[in-house]
Amino acid sequence: MTIRVLVVDDQEMVRAGFGALLNAQPDIEVVGQAGDGAQAITAAAELRPDVILMDVRMPVMDGLAAAREILSASDAPRVIMLTTFDLDDYVYAALRAGASGFLLKHSTPDELAGAVRVVAAGDALLAPSVTRRLVEDFTRAQPVATAAPDKLTPRETDVLRLVARGLSNRQIAAELVLAEQTVKSHVSSMLTKLDLRDRAQAVVYAYESGVVVPGPRH
């Protein structure tokens, strides 16, 4: 199956470069490009891509506003935010809105194509060191709840904590001494109960709800 991608960036050279790199992949096709958030919303509705690469800062409408609108639909495509900096308040807000992760603009071609494939498969882009640092920075100063979510079983809460640490299903299975398929079922149930799109949103939720508490800043 070919993964259909929409590239959104206000710089034509960036769009062209990403388009060429992705079109060179046998399983990826760039079906359109857009230069700002407003164009992205229109293009997403017309072209119905599987994945959108969305620049954060753009004229007319920025990527965050566009991502919020696009992701509000029940059949929304996956969105990867593009950013120059790995710690960016816009990116954090995008994760809260339902973006599947973020990618640095200077990522390698293999990282770019890999990110598209991961997100198209329904997973979230979680670089643990970057994503956890991002979420911790923005939740450290916020008041949070102290009780585990009532909707989850104790085991699902354990899984949520480990997801928030950036562990894969295989790593969680080893940590909890469970079969990997069992962990996958727990993750799916946890996301469904909490009405979360993917693991990226689960990380944000875990910190904001107090299930995981940010450590001291070093």
Side-chain angles (χ1 to χ4, degrees):
M1 181 179 297
T2 300
I3 303 169
R4 295 163 51 82
V5 177
L6 172 66
V7 179
V8 184
D9 195 290
D10 62 326
Q11 297 182 52
E12 186 174 354
M13 287 185 64
V14 173
R15 297 197 305 269
F18 280 11
L21 289 171
L22 292 174
N23 278 327
Q25 304 296 317
D27 57 338
I28 299 174
E29 177 189 4
V30 175
V31 296
Q33 299 181 10
D36 60 55
Q39 292 178 12
I41 292 171
T42 300
E46 292 178 351
L47 300 173
R48 303 187 66 79
D50 302 306
V51 176
I52 299 177
L53 292 175
M54 180 86 74
D55 189 20
V56 172
R57 294 186 175 92
M58 294 181 291
V60 183
M61 175 185 284
D62 66 26
L64 176 57
R68 280 202 187 104
E69 182 158 341
I70 291 170
L71 290 167
S72 65
S74 59
D75 58 345
R78 300 281 174 167
V79 174
I80 300 173
M81 303 304 296
L82 297 171
T83 181
T84 306
F85 306 102
D86 63 357
L87 294 181
D88 190 309
D89 55 349
Y90 283 89
V91 176
Y92 176 73
L95 292 177
R96 294 188 69 189
S100 294
F102 59 96
L103 192 66
L104 300 181
K105 285 190 175 181
H106 61 253
S107 297
T108 67
D110 285 346
E111 288 171 338
L112 174 65
V116 168
R117 293 186 182 104
V118 166
V119 168
D123 294 323
L125 282 179
L126 284 180
S129 61
V130 174
T131 303
R132 285 180 59 201
R133 189 165 78 246
L134 174 76
V135 176
E136 286 196 3
D137 279 351
F138 282 89
T139 57
R140 185 175 278 107
Q142 298 179 7
V144 297
T146 56
D150 294 337
K151 296 178 181 179
L152 302 185
T153 66
R155 180 57 81 193
E156 288 167 348
T157 302
D158 291 339
V159 169
L160 173 60
R161 289 193 181 100
L162 296 177
V163 167
R165 283 171 46 191
L167 273 64
S168 66
N169 286 352
R170 179 174 299 179
Q171 292 169 323
I172 293 172
E175 183 90 7
L176 299 179
V177 194
L178 295 172
E180 190 172 344
Q181 186 60 41
T182 301
V183 171
K184 186 176 181 179
S185 296
H186 283 317
V187 171
S188 177
S189 177
M190 175 265 292
L191 293 175
T192 299
K193 287 182 179 180
L194 298 177
D195 194 26
L196 301 174
R197 184 180 292 270
D198 54 31
R199 296 169 88 101
Q201 281 198 305
V203 175
V204 175
Y205 176 89
Y207 279 95
E208 292 192 340
S209 66
V211 171
V212 177
V213 178
R217 188 189 298 273
H218 297 294

